[in-house]
Amino acid sequence: MVAKKVLSLVFVRDASRILLGLKKRGFGQGWWNGFGGKVEPGETIHEGALRELKEEAGVTGHELQEVGLLKFEFVGDPVLLEVHVFSTTKYTGQPSESEEMKPRWFDVDDLPFSQMWADDSLWFPLLLKGSKFSGYFLFKGHHEILKYTLDEVERL
Ligand code: 6OG
């Protein structure tokens, strides 16, 4: 059986901007992404999402909505990543830099896709228009998508 790793990925938004963080170390280093990481034993995915948002961006999220389910495989790696994507416009606190992430607001019309995971430019339009989505991506290395599926869904 293929091992599965469950992760969260959280996006905080306001009317025209989205909060991204520049990953300073580890998986996806050097790229902008939402905030998140591995769900720990004993916590729900939602709890893990809130914890990672606080740890990495210094803000407390409220009313997180689960909006996407993304599955990733990498050629030669038996681990399937299952990434639960959350979105909210409600938060308290000021974004602040952590050891892992450097947060910055981006205008939604001016996102740094050349410095983001390759899958992001495919599903971001769905995230930004408020749809729910479900996708699968097979990567070769960290830059090339060999095949994918992506669907707008009613519910996850
Ligand atoms: P740590 O391993 O640092 O958490 N993640 C991805 N995000 C995007 N946009 N595209 C991908 O394509 C991703 N693969 C993983 C999940 C890693 C963080 O990166 C996300 C987590 O939020 C392959 O704990």
Side-chain angles (χ1 to χ4, degrees):
M1 203 189 84
V2 176
K4 189 174 84 170
K5 195 169 160 184
V6 179
L7 301 125
S8 61
L9 182 61
V10 185
F11 294 93
V12 174
R13 303 178 54 182
D14 68 13
S16 62
R17 301 179 307 166
I18 189 161
L19 186 67
L20 299 179
L22 183 64
K23 189 96 189 281
K24 292 161 66 176
R25 65 180 188 200
F27 197 64
Q29 181 176 357
W31 287 342
W32 295 95
N33 204 350
F35 304 91
K38 197 169 176 300
V39 177
E40 300 289 350
E43 68 182 3
T44 63
I45 300 171
H46 185 266
E47 286 166 350
L50 288 172
R51 176 182 53 74
E52 294 275 358
L53 179 64
K54 178 74 180 164
E55 282 174 10
E56 295 184 349
V59 302
T60 302
H62 305 282
E63 298 175 35
L64 257 56
Q65 307 287 324
E66 187 165 1
V67 294
L69 179 60
L70 300 173
K71 294 181 180 175
F72 300 105
E73 276 187 294
F74 293 82
V75 172
D77 186 339
V79 180
L80 176 78
L81 300 186
E82 185 181 282
V83 177
H84 294 253
V85 184
F86 294 85
S87 176
T88 188
T89 55
K90 304 227 172 19
Y91 68 97
T92 46
Q94 280 304 314
S96 60
E97 186 167 346
S98 61
E99 280 183 14
E100 190 145 339
M101 292 289 233
K102 183 176 180 170
R104 191 182 128 186
W105 289 101
F106 285 88
D107 194 289
V108 294
D109 296 324
D110 192 20
L111 292 167
F113 286 122
S114 64
Q115 289 171 269
M116 293 167 75
W117 282 100
D119 52 283
D120 293 20
S121 61
L122 300 167
W123 54 263
F124 249 74
L126 299 176
L127 172 79
L128 294 175
K129 74 174 185 174
S131 295
K132 289 192 167 66
F133 51 92
S134 171
Y136 165 80
F137 301 84
L138 176 64
F139 272 82
K140 185 178 172 201
H142 283 186
H143 293 268
E144 191 185 349
I145 295 172
L146 293 183
K147 63 177 182 185
Y148 75 94
T149 60
L150 180 63
D151 296 294
E152 210 170 327
V153 295
E154 283 292 316
R155 68 179 69 175
L156 290 163

